[in-house]
Structure formats: structure tokens, C-alpha cells
Amino acid sequence: MDLKEVSQQFERFKAAFVKNDFDTCANLLSQLKVLLTKFRSLPPLFENTPNAVNELLLAREIYEHAVVLSVKIEDQDAFERDFFQLKPYYTDVGSRLPPSKQEYLILGLNLLRLLVQNRIAEFHTELELLSATALENPCIKHAVELEQSFMEGAYNRVLTARQTAPHETYVYFMDLLAKTVRDEIAGCSEKAYDYLSINDARQMLLFSSDQELLEYVKEEHPEWEVKNGSVIFQKAKESTPCKEIPSLQLINQTLSYARELERIV
Amino acid sequence: MSAGAATMVSSAGGLLAMLNESNPQLKYHALSNLISFVDQFWPEISTSVPIIESLYEDEEFGQHQRQLAALLVSKVFYYLGELDDSLSYALGAGPLFDVSEDSDYVRTLLSKAIDEYVSLRSKAAESSDDAAKVDSRLEGIVERMLDKCILDGKYQQAMGISIECRRLDKLEEAITRSDNVHGTLAYCINASHSFVYRREYRQDVLRLLVKVYEKLPSPDYLSICQCLMFLYEPEGVANILEKLLRSENKEDALYAFQIAFDLVENEHQAFLLNVRDRLSAPKSLPSESVQPGSSNPAHAQNENSTAPEDVQMTDGSSAVHEADPNEVMYSERLTKIKGILSGETSIQLTLQFLFSCNKSDLLILKTIKQSVEMRNSVCHSATIYANAIMHAGTTVDTFLRDNLDWLSRATNWAKFSATAGLGVIHRGHLQQGRSLMAPYLPQGGAGGGSPYSEGGALYALGLIHANHGESIKQFLRDSLSGTNIEVIQHGACLGLGLAALGTADEDIYDDIKSVLYTDSAVAGEAAGIGMGLLMVGTATEKASEMLAYAHETQHEKIIRGLALGIALTVYGREEEADTLIEQMTRDQDPILRYGGMYALALAYRGTANNKAIRQLLHFAVSDVSDDVRRTAVLALGFVLYSEPEQTPRIVSLLSESYNPHVRYGAALAVGISCAGTGLSEAISLLEPLTSDVVDFVRQGALIAMAMVMVQINEASDSRVGTFRRQLEKIILDKHEDTMSKMGAILAAGILDAGGRNVTIRLLSKTKHDKVTAVVGLAVFSQFWYWYPLIYFVSLSFSPTALIGLNYDLKVPKFEFLSHAKPSLFEYPKPTTVPTTTSAVKLPTAILSTSAKAKARAKKESEQKANAEKSTGPESSSAAANAEKGKSSSEKDGEAMQVDNPPEKKSEPEPSFEILTNPARVVPAQEKFIKFLEDSRYVPVKSAPSGFVLLRDLSPNEPEVLSLTDSPTSAASPAGGSAPAAGQQSSSSAMAVDDEPQPPQAFEYTS
């Protein structure tokens, strides 16, 4: 009975989802989640009720939609929340349910999210949990390749990968990834150069126009200075005078330790 | 679906994510699920604690949800080991924290909560303002816990917690709601004594207990009176006693007598006298004219006849006429109870018991005497001490009378102690004490005798009247003021202190003080001690006066005397004494620090207070003066005597110290706290010390060992026999150091103290401290500096007897059972041949035969031959048969002889024995004592030893009395009449033959 009610609600949700009526979707989703808490067969209780499989399937589908929805409304926090709630359906009860078509897509999205947020450690943790077949899946593979490029510093490959995204939902993250890449480059340039000419900086940071570059500097790096046609990184200002390594002293100490050790023995 | 049952959650991540949802219902769902998984997933949850905390603090969240969040955080913190945080969140969880839940979490937090609460409460109580505010939620938890305990019937837990938390209201509730109120009350009294460390608070607890007791339908007056004694409320006790005495029921009167005996056992003289004086005269409207008369024991026996008449004269309006049977009965009972309260009745009975059951082995003394070199005055006087201790309270002074020549070698101070020794032997001989000592006492103005024997005699009088000195006080004061010889002053000060122990009599104090201010070393020392004895446990301000003088004087002896005196004044005052203790222990003068150790010991006597123990241990290892260190260790014995099992453990390391003084202190500490217990660990600890390389350590160890082993026989611990042989060997060994020889001689005396019928006991049967005994041992431990103080040990002797008394306070024939093998508790076998070891070592056959011959000759010369002295078994049994009423004797079979037909004789060893009133019941035997079901007499209180009042089930039959061979009556009682003597008049006539005459006044030929 409850199940029916939830399914009807879900149908309404799906209708709104197709219509891209995201506000309605969010409302309905919130109600759905509350309704789901009534099912005792769902995680974390996993009670073996007669309708368990149906309920689990329904719940999984709801959460899968929730994840996709969160991508569509570009809400990373919601994505994380929903993904964690969805995860037990894949890991804990995966063996009891028919595999979901969406599974790899969503896992890949999650990997991408981690990459965007620069949470590389968690990215690899997730990766370790995947089976060999999963790694073959194009969605997953895409994310893995991206990560490799990212690590190698082949940023242009990362940016071109946007075109090869396996699913439309990936685009959102790919955009974000471009920004992440830019941040990385900015960080490196800051360390590497005292200043760059605006032209060089624009190329380096992969902007198409100077205007974009100036806006970017204004928003993200207000400490940079744009002067005389070049961008001056405040390296001289912030770099504390590098402490000289007291090598001579260290050598002397080590030698005396060695001598004394020899004497003791 | 089939495998579904095994599905387990692998992560709390989903639920944690749900916490971030905006919908409160989802958060609630997540919280309640997390609670059930926290035991498993706390590591995961711990990373999200801040989120949950913010939920707890979220005002918009529902009350229940917030509490749920608090509980979850509390559990996580519990797993993280952050108990403080965990507790504070558990408090936030309110009712969700279920005290009845049976889990580690709840148990841990509860104990944490209780600890916290206890420390807060006691801090609040100590700072005596409400500055330390107690969290009401914490209080709530503890209260819920207490309520639950009470509901579950765990009253003892509830009581323990409420005592610790200082929640007297809850304590009362726990007691009154328990199913066995008497049992819980008794438990509570016990707990308050052993676990409540602050004296004031303990008094509050006791006051509450008295209140509860009084509300009961059938109050347990015995316990109430004990409590009242602790609270020092003599009116309460007097009222109860009077109520009982006025009762129609004879049984109530018996009860009153029993209460009085129990109170007397605690030896709180000032209190007892106070109670006695408050008992109103035999009239409901007390007439003042009777009061002074009745307060004087000397007149007590007249009261029986005079009192009703007095009443008649003063009180006309009353309807009572002369022959009112109630009043007559009351006045008769009053006389009796006054006799008991003044201690005279019990002393009298004890004396009779010790005299009639005396089993001392004169042969041991003889051996000692012969083996000790004549010229060695230390060993010579040690032998005299040993004799006195062996015969303490028995009035048997045969040894002295037989060896007058030998005795006369005692000169100067030795003569002082020899004379004082008579006081120990005749201890408690209140009626004739003075006439016995008459030959030695200072004769008014004549100045005939030696000052040493005169001083000794005054000291002896003090010992005889120790703690019961009403009748002798005046005489001692006169003697003190009538002399300016310091030796006599010395004796008189000690005597006065003993006789007026703890009475805080201002006049006496001033007398002694004037002696102190003469600044004579010898007299001043005794004056210091005397003042302390007088003021025992009063925490008087005079202590500062004494301290000031101690700083002023040049004489070490005086300082030492005063230091001990000051320590005595704070006896039992616990925290109250802290300022004084602090002052003394910080003093420059090591002697005063040494006094400080005694002050610690006595103020915290028998409390096992951790603070005191810590302080003492600190001084024991850090003070620069050996004397202070030694005393600090020794003082541990006093602090711990209520828990003797602890002492060997605590001092075991100290007993291996490189410093001989510390070793000595450790030995005596064990001796003091384990005295009379025969504790195996104590013996094991002392054994190596008895063969220490340093002579005085051996001395201390031997004495301590004797104290531990007193009244233990070889059958219960074989090491006793070994120890006896060791003593003999040391005494006979010519090359042994004088110090350890002296120790051995004293040890031999203590081992057989009081005719083998006393033990050293610092606690009464109700587990309260016995003032006299503790004080006695404290002063005794001073013998290091001043040998005559050895006699103070006699104050700690208490007879091991069960004495049943009937309504007339006489000893009827009454039997009871000791459900143990007789051999376990019998007297040690008498030594037969003087010394076999010496015969091997030094072939002086003449010595042994002559000794034997002497023994025989002596036996013949004596009217009442003691069985021990005979040399053969046949004559022994014959003699024993001839002996009157001995319950247990040397031979196994004969143990039954008095009461059982001899058919048992052939059996190897009966598993029980029948004892006859009055009987020797050693402490270890107490648990085997059973009263016979079908006996004519039923005890009012089933105590296994001490004085027990008996209810006569067939009062019309004639009673058979035992214990009539009393040394009470004399031809001319010079020391004033006494009520007990009057009561005993019927039996005394036939006892005259047995009365040992006072020894001849021996002359000294120094």
C-alpha cells in the first residue's frame, strides 16, 4: 500500500523531472525521502519484509534520480548526500537486486566529482572498491583517464576530454574540472614566476580573451597585481626569506655523535 | 531474498549524509538509526561529531531530537575515551540516558557521574558555601540511579552512594524503605566508620541513623547508644537507659545493663561518668538532694535504702508513697547500672576471671631469671617487667614474693619500675589497690622510704586505677603537691594522668602544670605525658600552651614528654587536628616533629585515612632525623589497626630499608596494628627481622612478634612454637646483645600476658576504638626512651572471656559450645624441664635439677597448686582434676572433663567442646561460639565474648553461681567501700582462703 503511494509519488516526480521542473522535483524528492524512511527493509535496517526487493528497487531508483537531479541543479553537496544514501544499494544489497543500468554512470559521476573537488585520496579509495569489470566501463574509464591526465599535468588533454564525455550529465563536472585545472595552473605559475605578461598569462591559464583573465584575477586572486601589461604574482612579498640550512653545524654534530658512539662501544 | 537475512550495513555513510538533509524528519530518522549503529560505526560517526553537535545546539530542532543528538555524541565520545565530554552530553540527553540499561556505556558513565557528583558535593561541603554549584542534571542522574537502586532492592549500593554523595535524605529513604531495616542500619554504621573520612560528616550520618533508629517500632537501643556515644550525647543515652530501667519488664533492664557493658568496653571515661550523673534519681521528678549522693559510687550502695526516703521528703505532691514497688525496683536497678557505668562491675568480674583462670607459667620466668646475669641491670629489670606483664591483672605476685632477695638488686629507677610493676599485677584491684601499695607510698612527712619506690608506688596506683580513678584522684593530687622530689613527682604525674585519663579536669591540670614549670627534666617529662593523658581527645587549647613551653625549655626530656602529651590531646579528632599537626611536623625541633608523628597517629587512629598514611610515608622516607622516621613508620600501625591485613603490605618495603630505625618502626607498626591477630603475613614479615643485624631492630621485632602472637597457640600456627624456642635461645645465649635479650624477655612476658587470658585489642567488639588501649600502646612505644613506660602496655590488654551475667550481675552456671577442636585454642603446654637446649649447650645439670627441685618445693609450699608446675603428666591431670571449674585444660581428653562424662576421653580429638561460664574465648575462637538451644539461660545479645547478660528462662529455680573464688574481699577494705563488694558479700566469705595476701613489704638493700 505504502509502496503504491510512493510509486505514484515517484511517477509524479519523474514527470516533473522529464519536464525539467526542478523546483517541483526537489519538493517531491524531499517528500519521497521522508516516505522512504518508513520502509524497514531499506538501509540501514534491511529487515526482510515481503516486499523488500520491490521496495529496495524503488528506493534505489529514487536515489539514482536524486543524484542525477543534483547534478542538473548543479548542487555538489546534494550530490554527495544523495550518493552516500544510494551507495548501500550498490554495495550492501547489490547481490540481492538486479544490477542497475545507472550504476556505473553514477559511480563515474562520483569519481568525477571527487576529481573536481581535488579529493584525490578519496578518488583512489573509491577506485579500489570497484571490480575489474567496472573499470572497463566507459563511464569509469573516462574518469580514470581524466585523473591520469590531471596527475601528469596534461591539462590540455583534460580539457579536450569534455567532448568525449560519455553522458550529458558529465558536462557539468567537466566544466568544473576546467576551473580546477585553471586553479592548478594558477597555483603553479604563482610559484614558478615572479611575473608574466598578460598575453603569456592568458595562454597559460587557457583563457580566450584578456577580459576573462582580468576578471579571473579580480575574483580568484585579488593579491595579484596587473601592471604595465604584465601580471605580477606577489611572490617577493610573501616569500619568507628562505632559511639557510645549517649544514656545517649539522655535519659537525653528526660527526661528534659518531665519534662518541664509537667511544661508548 | 533468501540470503537477505544476512545483509549487514557496511557503512554509516548513508545515514551521516542524511544528517545534512534539510528536512528535520530525515535528520531525526538518521539520528535514531545512528544511535542503534553507534556501537559498530563510531569511528565513522566520530568524523561527523561537529554536525551532530550542531544539531544538539539547534534551537529549532525538537526537544526529543536534540536529546537524541546529545546521546549519540555522548556515545561517540565514550568510545573515543573522552569520558568528561561524554558525561556532559549524556547530561544533555536528559531522560534518554537510561540508568537502568545494562551496558558498558551506561555503567561507565554512571560511575563517572557518581564520581563527579561525589567530588562536587564534597568540595561544596568542605568549602562550606554553595560556591561549587552542582549541575542539576547531574544531580538528576544520580538521583535516578539511587531511586532505581532502592526500587531494585539494592539498598546497600544506594546507601553507599548516598553516603558518599552526602545525600542524607536519600540515605534515610534507602534505610527506611529497605526490607530489613535493622540489617541495613548496622551496615550503614559500619560503612560510616570505615568509609567516611571526615569526622563532622560522619557525625551527621550517625545523627541521622539515631533518628531513623528512634522511629522504628522496636528500636535497637544497643546500636543507638553506640551512635550516641560517638556523637558525645550523654543525655540521649541516659534517657534511653532510664526508660529501660523504669520498664516493668525485667528483660528491658537486662538490656540496659547490656548497653552499659557495651559502652564501658569503649573506655570513654568522661562520657560514661557524664551518663551516670545524668541518670535521674529514683523519682520521676528528680530531687536535687539525691543527685550529688548518687553520683558518688562510694555511696551508691546506700542509695538502695535511702533514696526513696529522700524522695518522700522532697516531693510531697507526688502520689508515690514509700513502698512504691516501681521506685524500689528502679533504684535497685539504678545502683547496678551505675556500678556498671563506672566500670567497677566489669573490672571486678574481669579481675575475678583473670585470677581464677590464671595460667601463667612461672617456670618460664624462673628460666629467665636464672639465665640473666645478675649484674646486667637492664635484663634484670626486663625480667621484672616481664613478670608484671605476665601477671597483669591477675593479682598473682608469687614470683616477686619468692624472689625477694633477687628483687632487691633493683636500685634507683629499677626500683621505681619494680614497685610500679605491682600496679600492673594488681590492675583493676580498685578496692584494695591503695592498701596493697600502702607500704611503699610516701608517708606523710616522714620521708622514710626511698623516693624511687614511693614514686613507683604512685605510678602503680595510677596503673591500678587506670581510667577509673575517681576514688584515687584526690590522694594522688595530695601526693603530688606534697613533694618536691622529682622522682616522686614523676610517679605522681604519670599516676594522675592514668587515673584521670581523658577527664580534662582543670584542677588536676593546673597541679601538673605547676610541676612542669619547675623545669625539672625528670618530673617535666612525666608532667608532659600526664597532661596529655588527662586531656586525651579533648582537642583542648591547652595544647598551644604546652607547645609554647616545649619551645621554651632546654630539656629534651621535657620536650619529648610534651610532644607526646600534645599528640594525646588530639586523639581521634581527625581533621580538627590538622592545624596542630601541621604546626608540629614543620617544627625545627626533631622532637616536636616526632610528636607530630604521634599526633597524626592518634588523631587518625584506626581510620586508615589515606591522607594520614601518605603523610606518614612521606616523613618516613624524607625526614632528616632517625627518630622522626622511626616514629612515622610506627605511627602507621596506629592509623591502620582497624584494617590489620593492610599493614604488612604497606610497610613491607620499609621493613627492608637500609635504615635500622625504619626497620624497627616497621616491626612495631605491624606489632601494633596486628596485635593479637596472629596474622600470617604479619608473622612472615617479622620473622626475618627477629634475626636482623642490628640489635635494637631485633628487640623491636621480638616485641612486635609477641604482640602479634599473643594467645595464639602452636596448634593454630606452628611458628608460635618456633618463636617460643627462639626466645628461649636468645635469653639463654650468653653472647647475645643486651638489647635483643631485653626484647626477648619482654616478648616472653607479652606472649603470656595476663596469665594467658588477655589479648591486645585496640577495637571493641562493635569495631569502635578503645581509648585506653590505644593510648596505652602509644605511650608504651615510648619505652625506647624511658623503660618504665613499658607498663603502659597493660592498658591495652583486654581479657578474652565470655562472661554471662544474670539479672543480679552475678555469674551463673551456664554452658555453651565452642564448635572447634579444643586443641586449637587451648592454653600453651607448660614448660616442663627448664631448658633442654641449655642442657645440651652448657652441661650444667645441676642447674636443671635444682630448678626442678625448686619448682617442686615451691609447689608444695603453695596452697593452690597450679597444674602447670607439675613435672609428670599423671600428677598434672590429678592436679587439674583437683582444680575447681576449669573449662579447658592441657590434655585433649580433659577438655571435656568438667561438663561431659569421661566417655569421650578415649576419642582422639572431639570436634567441639562445652565451655562453662565464665570461659576463656580467644579472639580466633569467637566465630565458633554457639549458644545451646535448650539452655536455661538465653543471652540478650548473641555476642561471642565479653560481658553478656543472660535471660533466665526459669527464674524460680535456685541458681548455681560460679566464679566465687574472687580476690575481692579483704579483711579491711581501706580504699573505701564499693557497691560490687556489697553484692558479692554472700560469696566472699568462702573465698577468703583463696585470697592472695599482699606481698610482704620487701626491703631494698641498695
Side-chain angles (χ1 to χ4, degrees):
Chain A
M1 192 184 83
D2 272 342
L3 187 62
K4 220 167 167 186
E5 192 186 320
V6 177
S7 324
Q8 284 167 2
Q9 185 99 332
F10 184 46
E11 289 306 322
R12 278 204 293 281
F13 169 81
K14 275 201 273 197
F17 187 72
V18 172
K19 279 187 270 166
N20 280 352
D21 183 358
F22 295 136
D23 285 343
T24 323
C25 279
N27 276 336
L28 285 171
L29 181 65
S30 169
Q31 287 168 28
L32 276 170
K33 281 183 179 171
V34 175
L35 287 173
L36 283 180
T37 60
K38 307 254 165 46
F39 291 148
R40 303 190 60 80
S41 60
L42 302 188
L45 296 171
F46 293 127
E47 272 178 32
N48 216 354
T49 51
N51 272 336
V53 170
N54 291 335
E55 286 168 6
L56 283 169
L57 280 174
L58 181 62
R60 186 174 73 181
E61 212 183 335
I62 291 175
Y63 279 116
E64 280 169 348
H65 275 87
V67 170
V68 176
L69 176 69
S70 67
V71 176
K72 288 200 168 161
I73 56 176
E74 304 188 351
D75 182 345
Q76 291 188 45
D77 289 341
F79 179 91
E80 187 174 356
R81 270 204 312 272
D82 292 328
F83 176 75
F84 273 117
Q85 290 174 58
L86 173 63
K87 213 178 158 197
Y89 296 92
Y90 294 146
T91 54
D92 299 348
V93 285
S95 55
R96 286 168 59 195
L97 302 176
S100 160
K101 284 179 213 143
Q102 304 269 30
E103 179 170 351
Y104 294 121
L105 173 78
I106 285 173
L107 287 177
L109 271 176
N110 185 47
L111 288 175
L112 210 52
R113 171 184 68 91
L114 292 173
L115 206 54
V116 165
Q117 291 171 348
N118 219 350
R119 286 153 75 173
I120 304 300
E122 282 166 77
F123 177 91
H124 283 280
T125 316
E126 289 293 323
L127 214 54
E128 289 305 314
L129 293 172
L130 296 176
S131 63
T133 47
L135 289 177
E136 291 302 311
N137 186 285
C139 294
I140 308 289
K141 218 171 175 178
H142 179 73
V144 172
E145 277 166 5
L146 270 178
E147 193 261 353
Q148 276 165 2
S149 316
F150 192 59
M151 287 298 105
E152 285 164 13
Y155 295 129
N156 53 346
R157 235 191 296 158
V158 175
L159 295 177
T160 51
R162 188 171 186 272
Q163 277 74 49
T164 61
H167 191 265
E168 45 165 338
T169 46
Y170 278 49
V171 175
Y172 163 60
F173 281 119
M174 294 309 291
D175 288 344
L176 290 175
L177 194 58
K179 188 171 177 312
T180 312
V181 167
R182 190 169 289 131
D183 285 343
E184 280 289 303
I185 297 170
C188 294
S189 322
E190 200 176 29
K191 289 275 180 305
Y193 306 100
D194 286 341
Y195 64 90
L196 277 176
S197 70
I198 288 187
N199 211 17
D200 290 344
R202 196 197 67 219
Q203 276 184 0
M204 191 79 83
L205 293 173
L206 311 166
F207 285 115
S208 46
S209 69
D210 287 357
Q211 194 55 40
E212 278 175 323
L213 171 69
L214 291 177
E215 242 165 60
Y216 174 77
V217 168
K218 207 167 160 194
E219 267 173 36
E220 300 288 323
H221 296 281
E223 75 273 15
W224 293 357
E225 231 175 311
V226 185
K227 210 160 67 179
N228 306 335
S230 57
V231 180
I232 303 167
F233 308 113
Q234 303 291 330
K235 191 177 147 202
K237 246 189 231 171
E238 69 184 65
S239 70
T240 48
C242 180
K243 271 186 213 148
E244 198 185 327
I245 299 170
S247 46
L248 208 64
Q249 199 188 339
L250 277 176
I251 293 167
N252 278 334
Q253 260 175 7
T254 320
L255 281 177
S256 74
Y257 289 152
R259 239 194 331 273
E260 274 165 29
L261 255 177
E262 215 159 57
R263 244 180 251 158
I264 297 165
V265 177
Chain B
M1 205 193 246
S2 57
T7 315
M8 282 299 297
V9 209
S10 60
S11 157
L15 288 169
L16 287 174
M18 213 183 262
L19 283 177
N20 290 323
E21 295 278 0
S22 51
N23 193 324
Q25 264 175 298
L26 286 175
K27 288 183 187 175
Y28 175 62
H29 174 75
L31 275 180
S32 47
N33 277 307
L34 279 172
I35 288 274
S36 49
F37 287 103
V38 69
D39 299 337
Q40 200 183 343
F41 293 120
W42 60 266
E44 249 180 297
I45 302 174
S46 66
T47 55
S48 307
V49 159
I51 300 170
I52 310 173
E53 277 174 333
S54 65
L55 285 182
Y56 165 60
E57 279 149 21
D58 186 354
E59 300 286 340
E60 287 160 26
F61 216 29
Q63 176 73 12
H64 181 70
Q65 280 86 329
R66 289 177 58 191
Q67 289 177 346
L68 204 60
L71 183 62
L72 180 62
V73 178
S74 164
K75 284 194 175 186
V76 173
F77 275 128
Y78 160 72
Y79 282 113
L80 290 173
E82 302 281 345
L83 289 186
D84 286 323
D85 292 331
S86 176
L87 179 62
S88 69
Y89 278 101
L91 293 180
L96 289 184
F97 181 74
D98 180 9
V99 289
S100 59
E101 191 184 307
D102 184 34
S103 67
D104 285 344
Y105 162 71
V106 169
R107 271 194 296 268
T108 315
L109 275 205
L110 267 185
S111 52
K112 175 83 189 162
I114 291 170
D115 283 353
E116 190 91 339
Y117 186 59
V118 167
S119 74
L120 282 176
R121 290 282 297 182
S122 49
K123 218 178 279 165
E126 268 157 46
S127 60
S128 70
D129 57 356
D130 298 332
K133 197 94 174 88
V134 180
D135 191 335
S136 61
R137 298 174 305 174
L138 186 63
E139 196 153 27
I141 284 203
V142 175
E143 275 177 16
R144 282 207 315 256
M145 173 72 196
L146 286 174
D147 290 342
K148 192 191 132 236
C149 281
I150 294 173
L151 279 178
D152 293 355
K154 294 176 188 156
Y155 302 109
Q156 298 196 343
Q157 273 187 21
M159 276 156 41
I161 298 171
S162 40
I163 286 179
E164 277 218 55
C165 301
R166 299 175 184 246
R167 287 296 298 266
L168 294 182
D169 50 335
K170 287 284 165 190
L171 179 63
E172 186 175 354
E173 191 187 334
I175 295 173
T176 45
R177 285 175 60 181
S178 70
D179 36 14
N180 172 11
V181 178
H182 283 284
T184 42
L185 274 173
Y187 172 82
C188 199
I189 289 185
N190 230 335
S192 66
H193 281 298
S194 34
F195 300 114
V196 181
Y197 284 138
R198 286 187 69 86
R199 191 162 175 269
E200 286 164 45
Y201 176 53
R202 182 158 62 226
Q203 297 205 336
D204 289 344
V205 174
L206 289 177
R207 227 166 262 136
L208 171 86
L209 293 181
V210 170
K211 203 174 91 195
V212 178
Y213 263 129
E214 278 166 354
K215 280 189 203 149
L216 295 181
S218 59
D220 177 359
Y221 289 120
L222 276 175
S223 311
I224 297 184
C225 288
Q226 291 286 345
C227 290
L228 287 173
M229 187 184 68
F230 266 93
L231 298 170
Y232 203 88
E233 283 177 10
E235 308 105 49
V237 178
N239 288 342
I240 291 174
L241 286 180
E242 199 171 326
K243 197 167 114 199
L244 289 172
L245 288 179
R246 283 191 185 279
S247 156
E248 296 283 323
N249 196 337
K250 212 170 170 179
E251 214 171 296
D252 285 343
L254 283 180
Y255 222 72
F257 296 154
Q258 183 70 57
I259 291 172
F261 272 120
D262 285 1
L263 292 179
V264 167
E265 215 204 331
N266 290 302
E267 302 175 336
H268 201 324
Q269 185 179 204
F271 178 78
L272 294 172
L273 293 183
N274 206 330
V275 171
R276 194 191 66 189
D277 293 345
R278 274 168 203 272
L279 287 173
S280 64
K283 194 66 226 162
S284 42
L285 297 168
S287 49
E288 288 308 309
S289 62
V290 180
Q291 198 73 19
S294 64
S295 67
N296 186 343
H299 295 279
Q301 77 190 87
N302 300 330
E303 205 173 69
N304 212 341
S305 53
T306 59
E309 289 157 19
D310 285 351
V311 167
Q312 186 66 12
M313 287 186 286
T314 51
D315 182 13
S317 65
S318 169
V320 184
H321 46 78
E322 196 176 336
D324 183 340
N326 280 339
E327 285 305 310
V328 173
M329 182 190 71
Y330 174 64
S331 66
E332 176 210 328
R333 289 173 177 175
L334 193 66
T335 318
K336 284 183 193 160
I337 206 153
K338 285 189 170 173
I340 300 173
L341 285 176
S342 67
E344 281 162 26
T345 314
S346 55
I347 289 176
Q348 180 90 19
L349 289 164
T350 308
L351 196 64
Q352 285 174 17
F353 167 77
L354 288 178
F355 169 67
S356 62
C357 296
N358 175 28
K359 284 275 184 187
S360 62
D361 193 343
L362 280 177
L363 215 53
I364 295 179
L365 277 174
K366 206 170 262 302
T367 319
I368 296 174
K369 192 194 105 189
Q370 275 159 1
S371 59
V372 163
E373 253 185 283
M374 289 292 191
R375 277 172 310 232
N376 190 336
S377 64
V378 173
C379 291
H380 182 267
S381 25
T383 316
I384 297 172
Y385 293 127
N387 169 56
I389 292 169
M390 259 192 209
H391 292 102
T394 61
T395 74
V396 176
D397 47 16
T398 349
F399 180 76
L400 293 181
R401 278 189 285 139
D402 288 351
N403 299 292
L404 287 177
D405 267 357
W406 172 81
L407 193 60
S408 63
R409 269 173 230 279
T411 55
N412 297 335
W413 284 108
K415 189 191 276 184
F416 177 90
S417 12
T419 322
L422 285 174
V424 176
I425 294 176
H426 290 279
R427 169 148 198 255
H429 215 157
L430 300 187
Q431 286 83 49
Q432 293 161 64
R434 188 144 161 217
S435 59
L436 279 166
M437 298 313 298
Y440 315 109
L441 287 173
Q443 312 296 329
S450 139
Y452 288 102
S453 67
E454 288 176 6
L458 292 173
Y459 180 25
L461 276 183
L463 288 165
I464 292 175
H465 291 267
N467 210 9
H468 300 282
E470 290 228 309
S471 53
I472 203 75
K473 262 189 331 209
Q474 196 50 47
F475 174 76
L476 286 170
R477 283 181 65 187
D478 295 344
S479 312
L480 181 63
S481 51
T483 182
N484 49 15
I485 304 170
E486 56 178 11
V487 180
I488 300 182
Q489 284 175 333
H490 182 92
C493 284
L494 288 179
L496 260 180
L498 280 166
L501 191 80
T503 52
D505 188 319
E506 292 286 335
D507 299 334
I508 300 181
Y509 179 80
D510 290 339
D511 285 354
I512 301 182
K513 197 166 74 179
S514 61
V515 173
L516 178 70
Y517 286 157
T518 59
D519 206 40
S520 130
V522 172
E525 182 185 31
I529 298 175
M531 286 157 110
L533 290 172
L534 193 64
M535 296 290 172
V536 160
T538 53
T540 167
E541 280 152 30
K542 305 223 162 53
S544 51
E545 194 178 298
M546 290 160 80
L547 196 59
Y549 191 76
H551 280 126
E552 216 172 279
T553 184
Q554 297 294 312
H555 296 289
E556 274 192 15
K557 279 173 93 70
I558 299 183
I559 304 176
R560 191 173 299 122
L562 282 170
L564 183 64
I566 298 167
L568 287 169
T569 61
V570 294
Y571 174 90
R573 305 306 284 215
E574 300 178 30
E575 297 84 14
E576 255 180 87
D578 282 351
T579 347
L580 187 72
I581 292 173
E582 184 74 19
Q583 214 175 338
M584 290 178 84
T585 51
R586 295 225 167 158
D587 205 284
Q588 291 286 310
D589 189 344
I591 304 179
L592 282 176
R593 289 206 300 279
Y594 153 95
M597 296 303 110
Y598 271 108
L600 259 173
L602 292 173
Y604 291 96
R605 85 279 169 269
T607 57
N609 186 307
N610 281 334
K611 196 184 84 192
I613 294 175
R614 209 178 313 123
Q615 251 179 306
L616 286 172
L617 285 174
H618 173 75
F619 281 107
V621 293
S622 67
D623 203 280
V624 287
S625 158
D626 278 340
D627 288 342
V628 179
R629 296 175 68 166
R630 183 183 67 235
T631 321
V633 184
L634 186 150
L636 283 172
F638 285 102
V639 177
L640 286 166
Y641 68 71
S642 58
E643 292 169 31
E645 308 78 24
Q646 295 252 23
T647 323
R649 198 171 49 79
I650 290 184
V651 302
S652 66
L653 275 180
L654 293 170
S655 76
E656 288 161 19
S657 163
Y658 72 95
N659 185 332
H661 289 269
V662 172
R663 293 203 297 275
Y664 176 93
L668 275 194
V670 172
I672 288 163
S673 63
C674 306
T677 59
L679 207 68
S680 176
E681 294 85 25
I683 297 176
S684 312
L685 186 133
L686 288 172
E687 242 172 358
L689 289 175
T690 56
S691 45
D692 198 276
V693 286
V694 180
D695 51 359
F696 66 79
V697 179
R698 287 201 294 279
Q699 181 191 50
L702 289 171
I703 291 172
M705 187 76 113
M707 287 164 80
V708 174
M709 286 184 173
V710 71
Q711 276 208 337
I712 309 288
N713 73 4
E714 219 175 328
S716 32
D717 195 329
S718 63
R719 286 177 290 187
V720 179
T722 326
F723 181 60
R724 278 181 187 278
R725 284 187 288 280
Q726 187 187 5
L727 287 182
E728 199 176 22
K729 196 173 141 263
I730 294 175
I731 292 168
L732 292 176
D733 188 350
K734 282 228 165 7
H735 304 291
E736 189 62 64
D737 283 300
T738 307
M739 284 290 263
S740 50
K741 210 167 210 175
M742 177 198 167
I745 295 170
L746 285 179
I750 294 171
L751 207 52
D752 288 333
R756 293 179 169 168
N757 282 316
V758 299
T759 184
I760 298 175
R761 220 202 277 251
L762 299 177
L763 285 173
S764 67
K765 277 180 287 296
T766 41
K767 299 285 177 210
H768 300 158
D769 56 313
K770 297 174 73 166
V771 185
T772 325
V774 179
V775 169
L777 269 192
V779 185
F780 163 73
S781 57
Q782 290 275 305
F783 75 86
W784 174 277
Y785 299 104
W786 195 233
Y787 287 154
L789 297 178
I790 285 172
Y791 288 134
F792 271 82
V793 76
S794 69
L795 301 189
S796 63
F797 291 158
S798 68
T800 50
L802 188 138
I803 302 178
L805 296 172
N806 63 9
Y807 176 69
D808 300 320
L809 302 184
K810 288 187 185 139
V811 183
K813 199 162 158 56
F814 159 70
E815 289 172 352
F816 54 94
L817 193 71
S818 163
H819 204 79
K821 288 183 182 173
S823 72
L824 270 180
F825 304 115
E826 68 187 359
Y827 291 102
K829 294 195 174 50
T831 46
T832 45
V833 186
T835 47
T836 43
T837 46
S838 78
V840 176
K841 257 192 166 174
L842 332 153
T844 48
I846 312 115
L847 179 81
S848 72
T849 46
S850 70
K852 220 187 274 179
K854 258 190 193 166
R856 260 196 219 103
K858 189 159 155 253
K859 188 183 80 185
E860 282 154 24
S861 73
E862 271 175 49
Q863 287 283 324
K864 42 182 195 67
N866 278 334
E868 300 97 308
K869 277 171 224 134
S870 63
T871 48
E874 313 97 315
S875 62
S876 150
S877 64
N881 276 327
E883 279 271 340
K884 48 207 162 296
K886 285 285 151 53
S887 51
S888 60
S889 94
E890 298 76 23
K891 300 291 166 278
D892 297 343
E894 282 165 23
M896 319 294 292
Q897 70 174 41
V898 181
D899 321 297
N900 273 20
E903 76 218 18
K904 296 253 179 197
K905 245 180 185 169
S906 54
E907 286 174 27
E909 162 101 56
S911 63
F912 64 93
E913 75 184 309
I914 302 278
L915 300 174
T916 316
N917 187 26
R920 175 187 192 251
V921 176
V922 301
Q925 195 177 0
E926 283 174 7
K927 55 178 175 289
F928 300 108
I929 296 298
K930 291 197 174 60
F931 295 103
L932 298 172
E933 299 264 320
D934 50 354
S935 173
R936 174 178 165 185
Y937 297 99
V938 178
V940 169
K941 163 194 167 196
S942 61
S945 71
F947 295 100
V948 176
L949 267 291
L950 301 170
R951 201 164 63 222
D952 191 350
L953 295 181
S954 44
N956 297 325
E957 288 172 32
E959 290 184 289
V960 185
L961 299 179
S962 53
L963 203 68
T964 50
D965 46 353
S966 66
T968 51
S969 62
S972 55
S977 60
Q983 287 162 13
Q984 292 288 338
S985 58
S986 59
S987 60
S988 59
M990 51 182 139
V992 173
D993 293 341
D994 292 333
E995 162 69 10
Q997 292 305 309
Q1000 301 303 311
F1002 42 82
E1003 278 301 310
Y1004 291 106
T1005 55
S1006 55

